[in-house]
Amino acid sequence: MSFVSKTWAVFRKDMQSEFRSRYALNSIMLFCVTCVFVVSFAMKSATPDSRVNAAMLWVILFFSAMSGLSRTFIKEEDQGTMNTLRLACEPMPLFLGKAIMNLSLMLMTLVMASPLFIVLMSVDVPNPSFFAAVLFFAGTGMAGICTLLSGIVAGARGRGTLFPVLAFPVLLPIFWVAVEATDLALLPGAPWEQSNLVLFLASYSIAAVVGGSFLFEYIFTE
Amino acid sequence: METFKKGALVFLFVWLSCVLYGVFHVMPRTEVLGETGRILHLHVPMAWIASLSFLISAYHGIMVLRNPSMKHDIGAEVASRLGMWFCVLATVTGAVFAKHAWGGYWNWDPRQTSIVVLMLIYMAYFGLRSAINDPDKRMRVAAVYAIFAFFTVPLLMFVIPRVVGMTLHPTVVRQGGMDRITLIFFLSSIAGFTGLYVWMYDLSMRVEKLIKKKEGYDV
């Protein structure tokens, strides 16, 4: 099998098992929706400014990602299928397939959560294209990084609590820039003049996925 | 070798005592920052050593991945442990300075962010290490995390501040705003604390190696 078809096979296998159990999707989605409701309920009729809205949106997305995206390799370890994967596939296509799977999960979450957030918090989005670009690239980066970190914690004890601890410092560049950029997107004005922010998110995401796919080999090979 | 080490240690003690005495009694107060400027001679060496230590840890991490050996794993752990302490000191001295200069202990200035993220990475690193039993796996996994996390620090320090906005942090050295005697004390302080770090590193390495030997590993 070629590199691409192996990557595709890993992605398809995960997608299929996801559609049968809906475990990751359910956990990440329910968590996210509950968070949005909790925040919205607590804020009631208060009208926070764009910065507070941006901050809350990203706090919700961060913890949703933590709850769902860590599952990729932990799941394999729990079901005892990690060694099968080791026999069937090289590290790099496996990592990329898992990263694409995580990316799809993250995008589904974004597509569900952000409109819900906008509606429930009655947020104005004067710059939807910039908003969407920020969400997309920040989501890509988070998915890529969480894939590697999931591989890192898969063999560790107490990984449920360890995962966010490991992830926060590495995700902080994304988190920081994403909050700043979302703030801009929620304000009237021309945020595309600050396209540096989106460029940074895009390049960090690419670097994280490429770097991760090389480093993954060392933690995967026994 | 032992006599040399002892001599160097005595020299280091005298050197650091002189530097500390000089910083408080000989050096004139700085123009803009006043008396609070003196903390610079403690704070900057701490931050410098925290970063240096991280670099050493990442170097050992790369060596572990290239050729797994207990020696480099011990090196990475010792460098991280010392780096973490210096990181805590840098954060605290920085916060004390920030309170007087900018009016609040903490304001997420890019430098503060990067140093505190460095500290979080160290903490996460130790959390990860203690969560894995198999020494061989622990070695590789910890190294991968250290290398991966290492790339975020220069980003937080240099790239993101340019992308998102301004910094409050004084850049005294770059602007050439330091008079001669202050500069001499500043550099001697950095040299002295680096010496202290080298001594601590050497000592910790020897202790760790003895412990590992006792546990039956070949180091």
Side-chain angles (χ1 to χ4, degrees):
Chain A
M1 272 210 287
S2 75
F3 187 88
V4 177
S5 58
K6 272 184 186 165
T7 309
W8 178 244
V10 171
F11 173 67
R12 245 189 57 195
K13 160 209 158 283
D14 264 12
M15 225 15 163
Q16 252 168 19
S17 80
E18 188 53 46
F19 267 105
R20 281 180 201 149
S21 69
R22 299 229 171 77
Y23 186 89
L25 197 61
N26 272 350
S27 68
I28 191 170
M29 213 70 107
L30 289 176
F31 187 89
C32 203
V33 169
T34 314
C35 274
V36 176
F37 274 111
V38 166
V39 168
S40 159
F41 178 76
M43 297 302 282
K44 259 189 179 157
S45 56
T47 43
D49 61 8
S50 59
R51 175 79 206 192
V52 178
N53 275 330
M56 281 190 305
L57 177 63
W58 279 104
V59 169
I60 293 170
L61 290 177
F62 174 80
F63 283 106
S64 311
M66 293 298 99
S67 72
L69 300 185
S70 60
R71 293 285 311 160
T72 25
F73 285 107
I74 294 178
K75 172 179 85 186
E76 306 286 353
E77 193 79 38
D78 283 350
Q79 294 166 348
T81 44
M82 201 71 151
N83 284 332
T84 322
L85 281 177
R86 282 197 180 98
L87 287 173
C89 193
E90 284 93 56
M92 207 180 270
L94 174 64
F95 177 83
L96 289 177
K98 291 278 188 186
I100 297 171
M101 177 63 203
N102 260 354
L103 177 62
S104 333
L105 274 178
M106 191 71 206
L107 290 182
M108 281 186 241
T109 315
L110 291 175
V111 168
M112 280 284 288
S114 22
L116 194 65
F117 185 83
I118 290 169
V119 170
L120 282 177
M121 302 289 294
S122 49
V123 183
D124 281 331
V125 188
N127 298 295
S129 62
F130 192 74
F131 186 70
V134 170
L135 284 180
F136 177 78
F137 286 115
T140 315
M142 282 169 104
I145 289 172
C146 288
T147 312
L148 180 70
L149 292 178
S150 171
I152 285 180
V153 295
R157 282 177 282 120
R159 53 214 174 184
T161 41
L162 196 58
F163 190 77
V165 176
L166 290 178
F168 180 66
V170 194
L171 285 180
L172 196 72
I174 293 186
F175 191 76
W176 186 355
V177 175
V179 174
E180 299 282 345
T182 310
D183 184 14
L184 278 181
L186 298 183
L187 286 170
W192 281 108
E193 283 169 13
Q194 301 256 14
S195 52
N196 271 353
L197 295 169
V198 177
L199 197 67
F200 174 84
L201 287 174
S203 31
Y204 189 71
S205 310
I206 293 168
V209 172
V210 173
S213 64
F214 280 103
L215 283 173
F216 180 68
E217 196 182 328
Y218 294 104
I219 46 175
F220 186 60
T221 321
E222 287 277 287
Chain B
M1 196 62 192
E2 278 305 303
T3 348
F4 171 75
K5 271 187 184 170
K6 269 183 194 149
L9 198 57
V10 172
F11 177 73
L12 182 66
F13 180 76
V14 175
W15 177 276
L16 269 179
S17 311
C18 291
V19 167
L20 286 180
Y21 179 81
V23 163
F24 286 102
H25 294 282
V26 180
M27 204 184 79
R29 45 182 293 174
T30 32
E31 258 170 54
V32 191
L33 302 167
E35 295 293 345
T36 54
R38 295 188 199 279
I39 205 167
L40 177 93
H41 301 268
L42 291 173
H43 170 67
V44 178
M46 301 300 139
W48 147 250
I49 290 170
S51 320
L52 176 75
S53 206
F54 206 55
L55 205 65
I56 295 175
S57 177
Y59 160 77
H60 282 299
I62 292 171
M63 293 316 280
V64 163
L65 292 188
R66 288 181 63 175
N67 177 23
S69 76
M70 195 55 101
K71 194 177 130 232
H72 286 299
D73 188 48
I74 296 174
E77 203 212 336
V78 163
S80 302
R81 197 195 304 145
L82 291 175
M84 163 126 178
W85 286 116
F86 279 97
C87 205
V88 171
L89 288 174
T91 313
V92 172
T93 49
V96 169
F97 172 77
K99 174 71 178 166
H100 287 277
W102 312 324
Y105 286 112
W106 207 258
N107 24 35
W108 292 110
D109 175 82
R111 306 285 173 96
Q112 283 181 325
T113 311
S114 44
I115 200 81
V116 89
V117 166
L118 197 57
M119 196 161 75
L120 289 175
I121 293 174
Y122 278 137
M123 287 174 179
Y125 178 81
F126 286 111
L128 184 63
R129 284 190 75 97
S130 60
I132 302 172
N133 288 332
D134 176 28
D136 188 51
K137 191 169 173 78
R138 174 172 57 212
M139 190 187 293
R140 276 180 293 128
V141 168
V144 166
Y145 183 70
I147 293 167
F148 197 58
F150 180 70
F151 283 106
T152 61
V153 177
L155 283 181
L156 290 165
M157 194 98 99
F158 304 112
V159 181
I160 299 185
R162 302 244 162 119
V163 179
V164 298
M166 300 285 293
T167 169
L168 297 164
H169 199 279
T171 45
V172 208
V173 186
R174 224 179 303 154
Q175 289 159 0
M178 208 183 256
D179 59 58
R180 191 180 213 134
I181 185 154
T182 314
L183 186 67
I184 289 172
F185 272 114
F186 180 69
L187 295 178
S188 334
S189 173
I190 286 193
F193 278 108
T194 310
L196 183 71
Y197 173 73
V198 171
W199 174 65
M200 289 168 83
Y201 183 78
D202 179 57
L203 206 61
S204 315
M205 279 301 272
R206 275 154 61 195
V207 171
E208 281 300 317
K209 276 184 186 165
L210 284 176
I211 292 174
K212 287 282 182 264
K213 258 186 199 152
K214 212 178 163 195
E215 283 173 3
Y217 292 106
D218 181 37
V219 277

